[in-house]
Amino acid sequence: MTATWTVVRLLGWAAPYLESHGSGSPRLDAELLLAAVLGCSRLELYLHHDRPLDREELAAFKALLLRRRQREPMAYILGEKEFWSLPFRVSPAVLIPRPETEHLVEEAIRIIDRHYPEGAFVVDFGTGCGNIILSLAAHYRQRPGYAWEGIDRSPAAVEVARANAERLDLAAVTWRVADLEAAAADPARPWQLVVSNPPYIPAGELAGLAPEVRQEPREALDGGRDGLDYYRVIARRLPALLPAGGWLLLEVGAGQAPAVADMLTAAGAGEVARVRDLQGIERVVVCQWMP
Ligand code: GLN
């Protein structure tokens, strides 16, 4: 006798399986993976809970389960992550967008609306899959006058970002492969706004991160001994990065905001503001360059 694997039976088996292998959201993971195999939504899984799966579908689901069992991040398995309500393609070449980074986008919009209602040139350093700059470009899609640039030293990341721009039909963004020092030495034209979510994890803490995070690119996470290496470069390069009156917005790790604010003040920035995320952590540091 062979039992038929239906949607409901399969989920009832897969969720505890993933849980026993360390997933923090086993039921959701199982549903998303099965929905991906069947090319349907999670809701449709429930509407068709008695749907039997054929051999190929079972094999495909099993392959995804095995990847998740290795603690591969869901976003890499699905190839996509939502950010700012937009679907972003992701691959192991890029950091997976985090919800807290939406605060950086929000603050950038606040500043652009207030200080550059007619247009501005905005750059994102370490753009990764392009989520920050593309979210901004999407927000100002209907408004001419704005120009956007995404820069990353990883050619593979820039390729992912370009693909996202194309998919989201956001041709107004230009892309460049360069590191921060090189880009600062050779700006295409003066930016009015610099945004960045640089790598900020202290090197010594990388090994202790969740297995999923350790599968993300080390160069997107490793901020050097104290996690602040990139903020030092940015602070030192401020005069090259921004004209007087330009704005800098940085995401920082938990507890780093005071040190980063001090660095920027020492570099000659004006008043430095800190914005908390939903957990109350100072997550975004904002300053105006007033030499
Ligand atoms: N927010 C990421 C994490 O905590 C780190 C991203 C970064 O280093 N910029 O895993």
Side-chain angles (χ1 to χ4, degrees):
M1 177 196 100
T2 50
T4 307
W5 284 105
T6 59
V7 164
V8 68
R9 278 194 65 215
L10 205 51
L11 289 175
W13 173 81
Y17 173 79
L18 289 179
E19 185 169 28
S20 72
H21 287 95
S23 165
S25 49
R27 179 83 197 182
L28 177 63
D29 292 1
E31 289 176 5
L32 289 169
L33 295 177
L34 188 54
V37 165
L38 300 181
C40 70
S41 67
R42 281 172 63 214
L43 175 63
E44 284 171 297
L45 291 180
Y46 283 92
L47 297 177
H48 305 286
H49 60 95
D50 277 337
R51 177 197 192 286
L53 280 88
D54 65 28
R55 283 241 312 265
E56 276 101 75
E57 289 165 340
L58 280 174
F61 183 57
K62 190 173 160 200
L64 298 190
L65 278 183
L66 289 176
R67 288 173 67 183
R68 187 66 193 112
R69 176 191 153 155
Q70 310 293 331
R71 306 292 295 273
E72 185 172 344
M74 283 296 293
Y76 289 161
I77 300 176
L78 299 173
E80 192 169 295
K81 178 75 184 179
E82 188 180 285
F83 178 87
W84 201 254
S85 299
L86 297 169
F88 286 92
R89 282 268 153 78
V90 292
S91 80
V94 297
L95 187 84
I96 299 163
R98 309 284 204 269
E100 58 267 28
T101 304
E102 293 183 351
H103 292 286
L104 185 63
V105 174
E106 228 165 62
E107 285 308 308
I109 288 172
R110 211 189 303 278
I111 287 169
I112 292 169
D113 283 349
R114 182 143 176 221
H115 300 279
Y116 304 102
E118 305 293 332
F121 188 22
V122 182
V123 67
D124 174 19
F125 279 109
T127 198
C129 74
N131 56 308
I132 297 171
I133 199 79
L134 287 168
S135 296
L136 289 171
H139 185 84
Y140 293 95
R141 193 194 279 276
Q142 307 301 339
R143 313 243 301 262
Y146 292 92
W148 317 94
E149 184 171 25
I151 298 182
D152 205 291
R153 67 189 161 183
S154 155
V158 168
E159 225 166 275
V160 174
R162 266 187 220 281
N164 277 319
E166 199 162 306
R167 189 167 175 228
L168 297 168
D169 199 17
L170 290 165
V173 186
T174 55
W175 305 99
R176 190 151 37 134
V177 178
D179 69 13
L180 187 52
E181 295 276 10
D186 173 36
R189 60 186 241 223
W191 301 295
Q192 279 86 42
L193 229 89
V194 169
V195 299
S196 184
N197 172 21
Y200 56 61
I201 310 277
E205 292 178 17
L206 290 168
L209 296 173
E212 283 85 353
V213 182
R214 279 190 272 123
Q215 297 195 31
E216 295 185 78
R218 187 188 171 110
E219 59 272 25
L221 295 167
D222 186 349
R225 204 177 50 80
D226 60 357
L228 302 176
D229 279 4
Y230 290 89
Y231 303 109
R232 280 189 199 92
V233 177
I234 289 168
R236 182 158 41 81
R237 285 303 199 160
L238 263 184
L241 293 176
L242 285 171
W247 292 83
L248 173 69
L249 294 94
L250 299 170
E251 177 169 328
V252 297
Q256 294 175 335
V260 173
D262 285 351
M263 250 179 237
L264 295 173
T265 305
E271 199 181 321
V272 181
R274 308 182 204 163
V275 181
R276 290 179 191 276
D277 67 16
L278 294 176
Q279 286 159 56
I281 295 168
E282 289 182 329
R283 183 60 67 187
V284 182
V285 172
V286 183
C287 72
Q288 193 174 16
W289 172 234
M290 286 292 200

